[in-house]
Amino acid sequence: MEVKIKKICENATLPKYATEFSAGADLCACCCDGDVEIRPGETVLIRTGLAMEIPVGYAGMIFARSGLASKRGLAPANKVGVVDADYRGEVMVALHNHSKDPQVIAHGERIAQLVVMPFLAASFVETESLEETVRGAGGFGSTGK
């Protein structure tokens, strides 16, 4: 599959898979104005300097990088970002600092990973009743009893 990428900043880094079997391509920070500090408990929009054309029927899902999250406490604030097929603006990552220490993001640093995934668009139909199931209306934690 081909995903067209437009560099909004000439110093931006194209997404890259770390290994042959990586599901996610690394997204890198584009900090043309210098390093970005994220204080404890703070969320900062980090630029990638890239816009992309995700194919119709697919979405670009932005996930945390496990090393960044586990070693430095940095992860996307919205947990999973979604780049829709019709979005043409700059891809940004809202990084949240869950740690107790300030964290610095440098230009070119890997900040998240992009997984291009197919999806199905649902047709939502209002109804008066739903089919019965064993679980029924059992909510949070109800299946572990």
Side-chain angles (χ1 to χ4, degrees):
M1 166 188 303
E2 184 177 276
V3 174
K4 294 179 182 177
I5 303 283
K6 177 183 176 184
K7 284 188 174 185
I8 294 171
C9 174
E10 67 180 51
N11 295 328
T13 305
L14 292 179
K16 182 179 177 186
Y17 293 101
T19 69
E20 178 183 5
F21 300 112
S22 294
D26 290 325
L27 291 174
C28 296
C30 187
C31 306
C32 297
D33 297 329
D35 294 348
V36 176
E37 182 179 82
I38 308 173
R39 294 186 305 269
E42 184 180 38
T43 299
V44 175
L45 276 176
I46 306 294
R47 296 184 61 194
T48 66
L50 304 171
M52 55 188 70
E53 187 175 318
I54 302 290
V56 173
Y58 293 82
M61 310 301 283
I62 298 175
F63 295 101
R65 292 194 69 255
S66 57
L68 200 62
S70 64
K71 295 176 183 173
R72 296 177 54 195
L74 294 172
N78 54 342
K79 306 307 178 208
V80 177
V82 179
V83 181
D84 295 311
D86 59 350
Y87 177 66
R88 295 295 183 269
E90 181 175 6
V91 173
M92 309 270 275
V93 177
L95 272 187
H96 183 78
N97 184 354
H98 296 276
S99 80
K100 294 179 180 164
D101 301 310
Q103 299 293 325
V104 176
I105 298 297
H107 178 77
E109 184 173 349
R110 298 176 299 167
I111 55 169
Q113 56 184 323
L114 175 74
V115 179
V116 179
M117 302 172 63
F119 69 91
L120 299 174
S123 177
F124 300 99
V125 179
E126 185 176 357
T127 184
E128 293 295 320
S129 63
L130 301 173
E131 187 176 314
E132 296 288 327
T133 66
V134 173
R135 181 177 182 175
F140 297 108
S142 65
T143 62
K145 293 181 182 176

